[in-house]
Amino acid sequence: QQQVKQSPQSLIVQKGGISIINCAYENTAFDYFPWYQQFPGKGPALLIAIRPDVSEKKEGRFTISFNKSAKQFSLHIMDSQPGDSATYFCAAKLTGGGNKLTFGTGTQLKVEL
Amino acid sequence: DVKVTQSSRYLVKRTGEKVFLECVQDMDHENMFWYRQDPGLGLRLIYFSYDVKMKEKGDIPEGYSVSREKKERFSLILESASTNQTSMYLCASSFLQGVYEQYFGPGTRLTVT
């Protein structure tokens, strides 16, 4: 049973454009929502994360938008660059879950020149 | 820098063989995790451990076992490898609580023929 649904599966964006990846969840006991970035041949690495008490978090060109009532959160990459080409995973942690994460299915982003 | 290392980058085994995948972390993390990554399915948790000799099943434990005899080392064991266990295996570690970030190793690409 997939608890975090991620879309799209793949995305092609032109250099300088905005990349948007969406995730939805059902379990209201999730209390931490990170995004991980994975380059080919590497393990995923934490990119940015948000808690449900805020609606937006921005770090450089990366922004998480969080809609608690809709149980949705999204990653926006502004001014997308070829170096952003990677696979992105959203995830969620249960309250008291001992840092165990439930991951989405991943989005393969390609930024073209 | 946190370092999570995995014993092999690529491994080819025959059906029915016993397979050991090893993971070592150098950050004194309490938690360690084993995931498998398959296209379109994202990262799925196989087992995790929050302390030496402690283990808990993840979402897909069937066909796998784990061992944690030392805090820094977490092994994944395939008792009798099957072709449907061909996958990328990722190890991760994190603190038990407080800081939720998981640090991943580079992965082991296992092919079972």
Side-chain angles (χ1 to χ4, degrees):
Chain A
Q1 181 188 356
Q2 185 189 340
Q3 297 189 52
V4 181
K5 293 185 178 180
Q6 183 171 348
S7 63
Q9 189 171 351
S10 63
L11 184 60
I12 300 174
V13 173
Q14 296 300 307
K15 180 175 181 285
I18 302 173
S19 304
I20 302 173
I21 305 170
N22 300 300
C23 283
Y25 63 97
E26 288 296 324
N27 195 333
T28 56
F30 287 137
D31 65 356
Y32 170 76
F33 301 87
W35 285 88
Y36 280 75
Q37 179 188 53
Q38 183 183 29
F39 292 107
K42 305 283 188 184
L46 179 65
L47 180 64
I48 187 172
I50 197 168
R51 293 181 188 271
D53 51 347
V54 297
S55 59
E56 186 175 283
K57 184 172 181 181
K58 186 175 181 180
E59 289 184 2
R61 295 183 295 108
F62 300 90
T63 300
I64 300 178
S65 297
F66 188 84
N67 186 330
K68 190 173 182 178
S69 60
K71 291 186 283 187
Q72 295 175 347
F73 59 109
S74 59
L75 176 68
H76 296 238
I77 307 174
M78 311 300 287
D79 187 26
S80 299
Q81 299 296 313
D84 297 330
S85 297
T87 300
Y88 292 81
F89 294 96
C90 62
K93 184 190 81 66
L94 279 172
T95 304
N99 280 4
K100 190 174 72 166
L101 296 174
T102 299
F103 284 88
T105 51
T107 296
Q108 200 162 4
L109 171 66
K110 184 176 180 181
V111 181
E112 294 184 334
L113 291 167
Chain B
D1 262 2
V2 175
K3 200 161 187 181
V4 179
T5 56
Q6 296 184 228
S7 51
S8 307
R9 293 301 303 270
Y10 300 94
L11 209 52
V12 180
K13 295 291 182 181
R14 294 191 180 275
T15 301
E17 279 193 85
K18 191 168 185 176
V19 181
F20 293 87
L21 302 181
E22 297 217 312
C23 174
V24 178
Q25 51 95 4
D26 67 358
M27 272 299 290
D28 202 33
H29 284 159
E30 295 88 1
N31 285 342
M32 295 189 76
F33 307 85
W34 275 107
Y35 296 90
R36 64 177 281 176
Q37 181 177 5
D38 300 287
L41 296 177
L43 302 173
R44 293 180 293 166
L45 183 65
I46 303 171
Y47 267 98
F48 70 102
S49 168
Y50 53 89
D51 200 354
V52 174
K53 296 192 186 297
M54 304 303 290
K55 61 184 179 184
E56 287 198 21
K57 293 180 180 179
D59 300 317
I60 52 164
E62 297 78 18
Y64 304 94
S65 62
V66 291
S67 172
R68 193 166 180 200
E69 297 295 320
K70 292 185 177 182
K71 189 175 186 180
E72 68 271 17
R73 191 178 297 268
F74 193 34
S75 300
L76 180 69
I77 303 155
L78 287 68
E79 293 289 342
S80 177
S82 63
T83 54
N84 63 12
Q85 292 178 311
T86 291
S87 186
M88 170 69 81
Y89 289 88
L90 290 162
C91 175
S93 70
S94 80
F95 288 112
L96 183 62
Q97 54 190 351
V99 179
Y100 301 133
E101 181 173 0
Q102 289 189 15
Y103 295 84
F104 284 83
T108 295
R109 171 75 64 184
L110 173 67
T111 302
V112 183
T113 61

